[in-house]
């Protein structure tokens, strides 16, 4: 790697930007001065720099501080130094003649080595900075390249006035953490320093490539250590195994090894290495043979300590060769540990397993002149009893007593820490796999947040808190996610820690890790909470109590599709090791997956709220006050989606009432809209006083037309619906009902008997061409008529007949009011998690007092009109309705005259005294009168006009015998 810079670092073009003291207080210098004076500067400086400034101030650092600590307790010959020396030498050569200085620091910020493009630069440094050991950690030096790279754990740039200290205002730098490729742990920092006017964007690429070169050399050192351990093990076994007892590899040990067996052997071998102690564990292969894994310490010539894992094949096969293993056998079986305890995996371990570290397969014979191992009978003779394990040496685990050693082979050689890394990597992958299955099982924002916490505990964190804006919980996008956070989830290994409780409003300070992660959009790691001044300052009393239990924190923003949903905080308590960068990456991945599921749930909640609002707006808001029935109703939307269930109560002429319950097929906006159109049509047909079967026939035509006219019907399927329509007449206590593919109603007698009337089912609406039938039942006064949709009785966990039995039991209480009956039915019959809407309508019947009904039958004779008027006036006087007599007399006169002139006898006149006065005139003709406006020259044609003016409403209804013309007068009419 060579950087072409003969005359120094190339400038960024033109004159350098005049930052620093020379600007006279303009630009970044002015921003820094305003910050030091206590002013708000959030919009004028990059968030990492501002965060570092705020931490520096909270630590009590002074911008004028000139001295830095000097340490001697560092390893001048560390792995990092050995890996970095050649890389720094090449960098020094590439930057020859420039004002570039190159530094390498350890994770504590101690500078271990420096190189300069111009050797004369050394003379410009203070004496103590000319040798390794001075500390540039942020807590001592304020905002600087090395300290900020360690704090932010990523590539950073600090330019001129962005430095906190006065001494660095004329400088610029870029710094990048250097990581161990195996562990992912930060081993140190590589930093480029140069004059502030010598900025060049290409330096970002140069420093990345240099850091990668150092990391490759670190990896090479690890590979050499593993190879040295393998040589040491082979040499030791060659010396120990006299004669023919040469070790063989796993492939030779167990030919045709099942892939599942091989995977489990390697996993268990890695666990044994990570335990760093002698141990043994027995496994059962899929063919019935048993294998015992034995761990043996080994030390290389250079003093590297490691573990070798041998596999000892014991016991005969329990199945004939070639037998196909069962599904249960693929799991290999349970392990029996001997002198082995499986520990909680370290959480700051790596996630990368380097292939050339492993040795799986035949092991060469290290003894001079040794003959190659033979197969078949020769091999059996070569290993007659495998005498290496007749009895365990002192300190070594014994093999199981029932094991009969047949052969042994090397499985894996490695260092315990590397085994821990591999084990941790596998378990992290398992956690992510489990998260995919556990997070997002529902379309509920709060439940998804709880699933994130439950997945992370205890394998990643000991405590988790999640804070979401209230608007997100309602399904909306948050206009101010930083200002309306609400504690949504608190989970942990115990419940006695003083975290802010659920549903409490949370206000994070400007320097807290939670707010920093929300502003930056990146996870923030605080490995040591005792040193996190911004976290401690948020709530000194609360954090002081928490510090007694938790010691490390990762806070992650919950962001999906550019929408900020909230923040999740992961705390560590039991594991003494602090969180590391691998944990931060894992927490970020978990949070990203959860955020996507939360956003899906949020959008679903928003859409569901819209559909539910539409659905409720299309349902009746208030039911009318009726003489015929007392009505109560309930509507319960489905848990997963909103459907098209509906109900309606329609006042009809003659004190009658129409009761509707219906269900549109499907869910979502289309079903809700179709329901609104269908309910409007149903109400119109009912108000025309059609009988139930004709109303359903008209609705059938409407649904068929909607299906033909809907352009989206091909995508969403045929529009269909079910419906039940009942008309109750309190004067006769008869109820006429018809249904179209709908569940039958329930009748509750005054004595509490419950029955399901035998009502013809009829086809669902939308099929077209099929007839509907009307059935009539007698309903004594104080009976209850219960109408419902199929969501009440259909449930995946029970049979429909069982649900109907529950419904029968819930309604067997005649003393219940309709409202009480509705609530009882929902409590006892409705599914706990309904997957379909539920509409419920309960009507308690009344009967009109016979003394409030007056009827006269007369022939079609005009001379009888006067007699009917006189009888009606006397009847109204008996009822105390003298003030209404004039209007009623005129109405009856016109209606009876029309019936005599244009109808056919016999004629019947009926007066009903209900909440209004109803006048009815019926005859056997099917010819209906119609209202018209008579001209000034017309002698007649004003009769119905007078009726319309004197009555509150009027109309015509048809019967099997003819028609009825009716008019309704308000009782306060003059």
């Amino acid at each position: 790697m060579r950087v072409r810079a003969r005359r120094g670092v190339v400038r960024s073009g033109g004159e350098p930007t005049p930052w620093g003291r020379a600007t006279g207080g303009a630009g970044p210098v002015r921003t820094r001065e305003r910050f030091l004076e206590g002013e708000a500067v959030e919009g004028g400086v990059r968030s990492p720099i501002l965060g570092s400034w705020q931490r520096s101030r909270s630590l009590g650092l002074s911008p004028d501080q000139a001295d830095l600590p000097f340490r001697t307790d560092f390893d001048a010959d560390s792995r990092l130094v050995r890996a970095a020396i050649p890389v720094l030498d090449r960098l020094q050569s590439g930057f020859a003649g420039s004002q570039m200085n190159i530094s390498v620091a350890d994770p504590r910020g101690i500078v271990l080595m420096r190189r300069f493009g111009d050797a004369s630069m050394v003379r410009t440094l203070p004496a103590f900075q000319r040798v390794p050991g001075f500390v540039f950690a942020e807590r001592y030096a304020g905002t600087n390249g090395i300290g900020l790279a360690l704090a932010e754990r990523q590539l950073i740039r600090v330019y001129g006035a962005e430095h906190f200290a006065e001494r660095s205002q004329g400088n610029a730098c870029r710094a990048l953490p250097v990581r161990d490729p195996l562990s992912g742990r930060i081993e140190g920092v590589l930093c480029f320093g140069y004059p502030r006017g010598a900025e060049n964007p290409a330096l970002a690429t140069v420093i990345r490539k240099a850091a990668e070169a150092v990391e490759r050399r670190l990896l090479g050192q690890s590979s050499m250590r593993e190879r040295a351990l393998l040589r040491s093990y082979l040499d030791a076994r060659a010396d120990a195994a006299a004669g023919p007892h040469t070790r063989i590899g796993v492939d030779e040990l167990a030919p045709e090894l099942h892939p599942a067996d091989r995977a489990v052997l390697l996993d268990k071998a890695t666990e044994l290495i990570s335990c760093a102690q002698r141990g043994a564990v027995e496994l059962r292969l899929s063919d019935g043979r048993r294998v015992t894994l034995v761990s043996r310490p080994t030390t290389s010539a250079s003093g590297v300590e490691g573990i070798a894992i041998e596999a000892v094949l014991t016991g005969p096969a329990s199945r004939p060769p070639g037998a196909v293993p069962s599904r249960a056998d693929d799991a290999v079986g349970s392990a029996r540990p001997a002198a082995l305890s499986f520990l909680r995996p370290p959480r700051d371990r790596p996630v990368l397993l380097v292939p050339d570290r492993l040795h799986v397969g035949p092991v060469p014979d290290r003894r001079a002149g040794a003959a190659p191992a033979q197969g078949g009978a020769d091999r059996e003779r070569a290993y007659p009893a495998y005498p290496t394990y007749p009895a365990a040496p002192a300190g070594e685990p014994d093999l199981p007593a029932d094991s009969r050693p047949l052969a042994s082979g090397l499985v894996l050689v490695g260092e315990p820490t590397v085994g821990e890394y591999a084990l941790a990597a596998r378990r992290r992958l398992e956690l992510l796999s489990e998260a995919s299955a556990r997070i997002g099982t529902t379309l509920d924002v709060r439940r998804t947040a709880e699933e994130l916490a439950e997945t992370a505990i205890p394998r990643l964190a000991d405590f988790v808190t999640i804070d979401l804006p209230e608007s997100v919980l309602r399904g909306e996008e948050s206009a101010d996610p930083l200002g309306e956070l609400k504690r949504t989830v608190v989970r942990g290994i115990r419940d006695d820690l003083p975290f802010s409780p659920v549903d409490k409003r949370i206000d994070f300070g400007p320097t807290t890790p939670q707010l920093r992660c929300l502003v930056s959009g990146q996870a923030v790691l605080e490995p040591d909470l005792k040193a996190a001044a911004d976290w401690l300052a948020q709530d000194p009393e609360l954090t002081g109590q928490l510090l007694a239990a938790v010691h490390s924190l990762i806070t992650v923003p919950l962001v999906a599709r550019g929408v900020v949903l909230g923040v999740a905080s992961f705390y560590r308590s039991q594991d003494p090791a602090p969180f590391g960068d691998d944990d931060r990456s894992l927490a970020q991945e978990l949070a990203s997956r959860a955020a996507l599921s939360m956003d899906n749930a949020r959008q679903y909640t928003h859409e569901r709220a819209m559909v539910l609002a539409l659905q409720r707006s299309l349902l009746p808001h208030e039911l009318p006050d009726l003489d015929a029935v007392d009505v109560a109703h309930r509507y319960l939307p489905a848990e997963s989606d909103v459907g098209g269930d509906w109900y309606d109560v329609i006042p009809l002429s003659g004190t009658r009432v129409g009761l509707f319950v219906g269900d549109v097929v499907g869910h979502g906006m289309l079903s809700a809209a179709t329901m609104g159109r269908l309910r409007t049509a149903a109400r119109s047909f009912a108000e025309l006083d059609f009988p139930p079967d004709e109303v359903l026939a008209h609705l059938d035509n409407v649904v068929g037309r909607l299906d033909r006219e809907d352009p989206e019907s091909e995508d969403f399927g045929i529009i269909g619906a079910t419906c039940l329509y009942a008309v109750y007449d309190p004067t006769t206590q008869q109820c006429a009902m018809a249904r179209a593919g709908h569940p039958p109603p329930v009748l509750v007698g005054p004595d509490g008997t419950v029955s399901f009337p035998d009502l013809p089912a009829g086809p669902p609406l939308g099929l077209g061409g099929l007839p509907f039938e009307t059935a009539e039942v007698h309903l004594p006064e104080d009976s209850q008529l219960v109408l419902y949709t199929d969501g009440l009785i259909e449930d995946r966990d029970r049979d429909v007949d069982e649900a109907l039995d529950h419904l029968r039991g819930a309604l067997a209480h005649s003393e219940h009011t309709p409202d009480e009956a509705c609530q009882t039915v929902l409590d006892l019959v409705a599914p706990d998690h309904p997957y379909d809407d539920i509409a419920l309508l309960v009507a308690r019947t009344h009967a009109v007092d016979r003394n409030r009904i007056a009827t006269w039958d007369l022939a079609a004779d005009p001379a009888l009109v006067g007699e009917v008027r006189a009888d009606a006036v006397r009847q109204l006087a008996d009822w105390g309705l003298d003030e209404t007599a004039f209007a009623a007399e005129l109405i009856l006169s016109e209606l009876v005259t029309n019936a005599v002139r244009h109808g056919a006898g016999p004629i019947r006149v009926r007066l009903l005294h209900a909440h209004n006065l109803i006048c009815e005139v019926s005859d056997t003709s099917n010819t209906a009168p119609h209202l018209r406006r008579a001209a000034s020259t017309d002698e007649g044609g004003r009769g119905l006009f007078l009726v319309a003016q004197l009555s509150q409403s009027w109309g015509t209804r048809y019967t099997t015998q003819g028609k009825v013309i009716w008019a309704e007068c308000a009782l306060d009419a003059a």
Side-chain angles (χ1 to χ4, degrees), residues 890-891 893-895 897-898 901-902 929-950 954:
L890 289 178
I891 290 172
S893 177
E894 292 298 331
L895 294 181
T897 301
N898 274 338
R901 288 183 177 180
H902 306 291
H930 63 279
L931 179 67
R932 70 182 183 88
R933 295 184 179 276
S936 59
T937 57
D938 291 342
E939 295 183 359
R942 296 178 178 84
L944 288 181
F945 181 77
L946 289 175
V947 171
Q949 295 298 312
L950 293 172
W954 75 279

Side-chain angles (χ1 to χ4, degrees), residues 73-273:
D73 57 339
F74 62 90
D75 187 356
D77 190 33
S78 65
R79 296 175 61 233
L80 176 62
V81 171
R82 295 197 304 272
I85 286 176
V87 179
L88 263 63
D89 289 342
R90 292 199 300 273
L91 288 171
Q92 183 178 28
S93 175
F95 286 116
S98 71
Q99 295 297 303
M100 176 70 71
N101 72 84
I102 308 142
S103 304
V104 172
D106 69 8
R108 295 179 295 171
I110 302 175
V111 175
L112 304 177
M113 54 194 306
R114 302 187 81 173
R115 296 288 190 274
F116 301 94
D118 185 350
S120 63
M121 293 178 61
V122 179
R123 294 192 295 269
T124 64
L125 295 176
F128 75 97
Q129 290 191 22
R130 299 175 187 175
V131 295
F134 65 92
V135 184
F136 258 123
E138 188 181 65
R139 67 174 60 189
Y140 302 115
T143 306
N144 69 91
I146 293 174
L148 191 55
L150 289 172
E152 295 291 329
R153 307 178 108 76
Q154 60 183 338
L155 175 64
I156 59 93
R157 178 177 69 96
V158 184
Y159 193 92
E162 290 181 333
H163 288 88
F164 186 77
E166 294 287 356
R167 64 176 178 273
S168 303
Q169 299 296 291
N171 300 325
C173 65
R174 290 181 185 264
L176 179 66
V178 176
R179 301 175 183 272
D180 186 326
L182 291 180
S183 68
R185 185 174 52 202
I186 292 178
E187 292 290 330
V189 176
L190 177 63
C191 181
F192 289 177
Y194 44 89
R196 68 183 181 201
E199 174 63 31
N200 187 342
L203 288 176
T205 302
V206 175
I207 197 170
R208 286 186 188 278
K209 290 183 177 180
E212 290 172 359
V214 176
E215 291 171 352
R216 284 196 300 270
R217 291 184 56 81
L218 288 172
L219 179 60
Q221 293 180 19
S222 298
S223 300
M224 292 174 58
R225 294 161 65 94
E226 298 296 334
R227 287 193 293 269
L229 284 173
L230 177 59
R231 285 194 299 268
S232 174
Y233 166 81
L234 295 175
D235 290 340
R237 282 310 176 202
D239 295 338
H245 307 302
T246 305
R247 297 301 188 272
I248 60 176
V250 172
D251 290 332
E252 296 296 323
L253 177 69
E256 300 179 2
L257 193 65
H258 193 276
D261 295 342
R262 171 181 290 276
V264 172
L265 286 176
L266 291 177
D267 286 346
K268 292 299 181 182
T270 305
E271 291 183 6
L272 284 169
I273 290 177

